[in-house]
Amino acid sequence: MEVVLRATAMFAVVYLLVRVLGKRELGQMTPFEFIVMVVVGDLIQQGITQNDFSLTGATLAISTFAFWGVVLSWASYLSPKAERLLEGEPRVLIQHGRLLQHSLRRDRLTRSEIESEMRLAGIASMREVAWAVLEPNGKISFIKREEGADEPSRQQNDQAAS
């Protein structure tokens, strides 16, 4: 029973840690961040099982983690409020070609990281982006501007001139 309680406590710690660390995918982690996560995994195991190296102890620990993962998944599925709390919400990073600094700061993203993701999506310039959204899973979605779409102020100026 002690292993189950320790696994539950460590699950909560790990879950909160992942939420605090932000929305980064494994592919977006630096090598150092990846190593830190591996070390954290080992430290978690030591905290859960202490000196219990039995098959039963390991099975209980893994089953407890799986149980809480399923519980949170079902809570997210059944309740929109729980989903927002547990999974997070999408955040706009670029709006009408303009980088939103407050959003980048909040998720500790840099302009160069956004530009790298744009290039991977086949987008050469921020001016081509109508919206860039950081999804709850850590991926960035880009919505391109329609061909010929300009700044709203330019459209209004063109209409006023004619």
Side-chain angles (χ1 to χ4, degrees):
M1 186 63 179
E2 183 181 346
V3 171
V4 172
L5 294 175
R6 287 175 167 276
T8 298
M10 291 308 297
F11 181 89
V13 168
V14 170
Y15 185 82
L16 291 173
L17 180 66
V18 169
R19 293 287 291 157
V20 168
L21 289 177
K23 302 175 184 177
R24 286 186 184 254
E25 289 185 85
L26 183 59
Q28 294 174 327
M29 286 183 164
T30 65
F32 180 74
E33 289 171 331
F34 179 72
I35 290 169
V36 167
M37 292 305 287
V38 170
V39 170
V40 165
D42 185 50
L43 294 173
I44 290 166
Q45 176 271 325
Q46 292 174 22
I48 292 172
T49 59
Q50 271 186 327
N51 290 326
D52 182 358
F53 297 111
S54 70
L55 186 57
T56 304
T59 302
L60 282 172
I62 292 167
S63 298
T64 302
F65 261 60
F67 169 78
W68 286 115
V70 170
V71 167
L72 294 181
S73 175
W74 270 104
S76 292
Y77 175 74
L78 296 173
S79 166
K81 285 183 182 179
E83 180 182 20
R84 279 192 307 277
L85 178 69
L86 297 171
E87 305 291 331
E89 293 181 311
R91 188 167 355 278
V92 176
L93 302 174
I94 299 175
Q95 184 176 17
H96 304 299
R98 290 195 176 95
L99 203 56
L100 303 178
Q101 292 297 329
H102 64 278
S103 291
L104 294 183
R105 198 171 17 261
R106 185 168 178 188
D107 289 302
R108 296 177 311 280
L109 292 169
T110 64
R111 181 183 185 100
S112 62
E113 288 173 317
I114 303 301
E115 289 171 339
S116 173
E117 291 296 320
M118 286 172 36
R119 287 189 297 273
L120 290 171
I123 300 171
S125 168
M126 278 192 210
R127 290 186 306 267
E128 297 177 41
V129 179
W131 298 92
V133 179
L134 179 61
E135 303 294 349
N137 65 4
K139 293 184 179 183
I140 300 175
S141 301
F142 293 98
I143 300 169
K144 285 185 165 187
R145 284 182 168 196
E146 293 182 25
E147 293 294 321
D150 269 339
E151 297 289 325
S153 60
R154 286 187 189 166
Q155 289 176 351
Q156 292 169 355
N157 289 341
D158 291 345
Q159 290 174 354
S162 48

